[in-house]
């Protein structure tokens, strides 16, 4: 459960008034709650205690060094998707030997780097890639630990851009071909060590059923691979969803009591434990969004209000460069004024300053009738928020702040204009 709530008419993160952070750091700024991240992580680890389960946090959801550092201190492993993310983990004090490396397009340079750093396993997505890793490992005189991502053909019931477990997308190897492929690895790729099996069916899953279906479907294969190749782990991926619509209210237990259909970590664990326990394998989980999504908001200031022919607009100082989810996959974020409003709300579009019609954070939304200068909190902004930010329209990257009790710390300084252009140069 997250730690954002109104107190005495002003929204707080833990014991810090968000107005104070906006005043000191300016906007836009991402504000993370340390307590929220640590509590949810502990809840997940405890709920999974009956299994030999290990959390491999999906770094791409939010890769700030301070966040990675605090996770590493709690014994978390990491699921990475690039050499850059591996470098970040090491830089943040994390241990490469608990890193799994996913992704369809690993380069030779990245593979070499990961082998040098002794990562736990490459989660591979094609026969081509396996052959390339085999070749490189052979040249380096090492054995590369590998698993293959199996695509189980299970519909995750999520947005089409973030579903990954059906046979129409680029991820994984078809379940009908996976046994044949493992046999090929064992027979033809002497520089690979088959360490595990992996799957990941999509992101922002809000139902148990797709997880259960996929685990049921792949379990016999995992068992078979344990016997044939001695695999030691099965990673069941990430994808556990968070609360977007209802976010603020979900900071209170009453909301969860009133919404028994919501997927909780406990329900997730209770459903999968009986299916996985009999396998006798180490189980990896790769949650990204679930560990950080509801743990942050984006503070933004209302710059202007505008009444168009057909619509009201609230123009804010955060754009799709700061948080692209609404433009990219119809992501929904609640938006609340930091200073609580009690009067009648209005219906408006909340739009950014970027020169794109897709640059909105909310459309036709019932929202407080905020005035220019007021600070707003865009909720559920911790996952795929800053990590997807860009400097489009020459807007420097936002700042990031970590709240811890009644203290707060800058964990990323706002980018300066000089830094934004520092790597650009004129032709000789
Ligand atoms: C993105 C990704 C995850 C994390 O997904 P979430 O929905 O953020 O939990 C886990 N595993 C793989 C392979 C991924 O690509």
């Amino acid at each position: 459960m997250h730690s954002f709530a109104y107190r005495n008419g002003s929204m707080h993160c833990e014991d810090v008034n968000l107005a104070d952070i906006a005043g000191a750091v300016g906007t836009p700024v991402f504000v993370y709650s340390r307590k929220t991240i640590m509590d949810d992580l502990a809840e997940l680890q405890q709920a999974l205690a009956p299994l030999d389960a290990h959390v491999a946090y999906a770094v791409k959801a939010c890769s700030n060094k301070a966040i990675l550092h605090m996770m590493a201190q709690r014994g978390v492993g990491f699921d990475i998707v690039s050499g850059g993310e591996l470098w970040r983990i090491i830089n943040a004090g994390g241990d490469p030997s608990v890193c799994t490396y996913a992704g369809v397009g690993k380069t030779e340079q990245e593979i070499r780097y990961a082998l040098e750093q002794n990562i736990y396993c490459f989660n591979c997505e094609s026969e081509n890639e396996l052959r390339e890793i085999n070749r490189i490992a052979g040249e380096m005189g090492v054995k590369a630990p590998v698993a293959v991502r199996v695509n189980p053909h299970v519909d995750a019931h999520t947005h089409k851009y973030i579903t990954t477990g059906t046979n129409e997308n680029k991820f994984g190897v078809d379940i009908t071909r996976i046994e044949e492929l493992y046999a090929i690895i064992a027979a033809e790729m002497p520089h690979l060590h088959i360490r595990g099996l992996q799957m990941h069916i999509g992101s922002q899953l809000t139902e148990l059923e797709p997880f259960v279906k996929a685990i049921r479907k792949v379990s016999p294969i995992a068992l078979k691979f344990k016997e044939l190749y001695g695999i030691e782990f099965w990673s069941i991926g990430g994808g556990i969803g968070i609360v977007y619509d209802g976010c603020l209210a979900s900071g209170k237990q009453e909301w969860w009591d009133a919404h028994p259909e919501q997927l909780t970590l406990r329900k997730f664990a209770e459903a999968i434990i009986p299916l996985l326990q009999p396998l006798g394998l180490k189980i990896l989980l790769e949650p990204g969004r679930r560990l950080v999504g509801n743990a942050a908001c984006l503070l933004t200031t209302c710059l202007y209000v505008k009444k168009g022919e057909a619509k009201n607009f609230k123009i804010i100082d955060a754009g799709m460069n700061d948080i692209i989810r609404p433009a990219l996959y119809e992501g929904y974020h609640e938006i609340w004024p930091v200073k609580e409003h009690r009067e009648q709300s209005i219906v408006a579009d909340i739009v950014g300053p970027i020169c794109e019609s897709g640059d909105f954070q909310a459309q036709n939304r019932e929202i407080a009738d905020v005035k220019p200068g007021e600070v707003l909190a865009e909720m559920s902004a911790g996952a795929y928020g800053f990590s997807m930010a860009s400097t489009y329209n020459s807007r420097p990257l936002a700042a990031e702040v970590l709240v811890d009790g009644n203290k707060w710390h800058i964990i990323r300084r706002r980018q300066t204009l000089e830094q934004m252009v520092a790597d650009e140069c004129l032709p000789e």
Side-chain angles (χ1 to χ4, degrees):
M1 220 156 47
H2 69 70
S3 311
F4 294 84
Y6 284 114
R7 248 191 242 172
N8 307 321
S10 189
M11 199 189 292
H12 283 59
C13 172
E14 301 186 25
D15 299 326
V16 175
N17 189 338
L18 290 175
D20 293 343
I21 295 176
V25 183
T27 57
V29 56
F30 287 83
V31 179
Y32 300 84
S33 158
R34 180 186 159 89
K35 179 178 183 338
T36 304
I37 297 173
M38 289 294 126
D39 284 358
D40 282 356
L41 180 58
E43 187 183 343
L44 182 62
Q45 287 173 325
Q46 276 158 23
L48 294 167
L51 294 175
D52 178 17
H54 300 261
V55 174
Y57 167 63
V59 173
K60 70 179 189 283
C62 172
S63 52
N64 184 289
K65 179 173 167 172
I67 308 264
L68 299 178
H69 179 75
M70 67 198 214
M71 288 201 186
Q73 285 185 318
R74 290 288 170 96
V76 168
F78 298 97
D79 188 57
I80 58 171
V81 292
S82 70
E85 285 191 350
L86 178 55
W87 190 91
R88 261 184 189 283
I89 296 298
I90 296 167
N91 185 252
D95 179 359
S97 74
V98 291
C99 287
T100 49
Y101 185 176
V104 296
K106 306 172 183 81
T107 65
E108 169 158 5
Q109 192 188 9
E110 290 177 313
I111 293 166
R112 282 185 188 276
Y113 177 49
L115 283 171
E116 282 160 14
Q117 297 299 329
N118 275 316
I119 63 161
Y120 179 65
C121 198
F122 290 90
N123 291 339
C124 303
E125 307 238 12
S126 65
E127 182 176 336
N128 253 212
E129 178 194 336
L130 286 156
R131 291 198 184 277
E132 178 71 349
I133 297 174
N134 181 59
R135 180 186 69 77
I136 296 166
E139 274 180 32
M140 293 172 67
V142 297
K143 265 200 168 217
V146 296
V148 179
R149 174 170 180 173
V150 58
N151 184 334
H153 292 192
V154 170
D155 186 352
H157 303 163
T158 184
H159 191 273
K160 60 181 185 294
Y161 284 9
I162 50 178
T163 189
T164 58
T166 68
N167 55 6
E168 287 176 6
N169 60 64
K170 68 180 177 184
F171 297 105
V173 170
D174 204 277
I175 190 164
T176 56
R177 278 214 56 224
I178 194 78
E179 294 183 46
E180 181 194 345
L181 181 57
Y182 270 66
I184 294 172
I185 302 171
E188 301 176 17
M189 305 186 201
H191 307 295
L192 301 185
H193 158 212
I194 301 177
R195 181 164 255 175
L197 176 66
Q198 199 266 350
M199 71 179 190
H200 172 68
I201 57 174
S203 199
Q204 184 52 19
L205 274 68
T206 53
E207 303 161 18
L208 276 175
E209 185 239 31
F211 289 111
V212 168
K213 240 182 171 163
I215 291 172
R216 284 221 161 101
K217 208 160 166 187
V218 176
S219 282
I221 298 173
L223 259 188
K224 199 162 177 185
F225 288 176
K226 186 183 166 195
E227 278 158 28
L228 287 175
Y229 311 112
I231 64 167
E232 65 189 45
F233 81 92
W234 179 14
S235 172
I236 61 165
I240 310 171
I242 61 167
V243 180
Y244 284 103
D245 191 354
C247 177
L248 184 63
S250 74
K252 296 210 160 71
Q253 186 57 44
E254 302 92 79
W255 184 88
W256 292 92
D257 295 342
H259 292 82
E261 77 289 353
Q262 281 292 326
L263 182 56
T264 62
L265 292 174
R266 181 181 304 264
K267 275 191 252 180
F268 174 77
E270 280 170 4
I272 67 169
I273 287 169
L275 304 176
L276 294 169
Q277 212 165 19
L279 303 177
L281 285 165
K282 172 160 146 180
I283 301 298
L284 299 191
L285 289 98
E286 305 165 358
R289 189 189 311 269
R290 183 60 184 79
L291 290 181
V292 289
N294 287 136
C297 72
L298 173 65
L299 296 181
T300 170
T301 302
C302 176
L303 298 174
Y304 302 104
V305 301
K306 179 165 154 178
K307 209 166 158 39
E309 281 292 300
K311 280 188 163 187
N312 291 307
F313 294 98
K314 303 286 183 194
I315 300 161
I316 58 175
D317 70 353
M320 64 192 282
N321 70 301
D322 299 298
I323 182 160
I324 201 175
R325 295 191 64 263
L328 187 61
Y329 26 58
E330 303 167 325
Y332 182 101
H333 293 267
E334 279 186 2
I335 298 175
W336 296 92
V338 167
K339 185 169 176 299
E340 198 169 12
H341 277 235
R342 301 202 184 273
E343 79 279 19
Q344 186 69 33
S345 51
I346 63 158
V347 173
D349 280 16
I350 296 126
V351 301
I354 303 238
C355 302
E356 300 273 353
S357 303
D359 181 32
F360 57 82
Q361 295 302 321
Q363 290 181 303
N364 302 316
R365 184 72 65 80
E366 196 178 327
I367 189 203
D369 191 7
V370 293
K371 304 280 178 297
E374 282 190 64
V375 178
L376 297 164
E378 180 161 346
M379 311 303 291
S380 316
Y384 309 103
F386 187 92
S387 65
M388 284 187 162
S390 75
T391 58
Y392 185 42
N393 277 209
S394 288
R395 292 165 46 81
L397 295 172
E400 295 181 285
V401 160
L402 181 67
V403 170
D404 185 7
N406 60 9
K407 298 200 169 55
W408 58 271
H409 311 272
I410 291 181
I411 56 172
R412 176 190 295 272
R413 290 183 281 273
R414 187 178 305 287
Q415 191 178 41
T416 64
L417 294 169
E418 287 76 14
Q419 287 166 343
M420 187 174 68
V421 300
D423 297 323
E424 297 174 31
C425 40
L426 301 178
E428 293 281 299

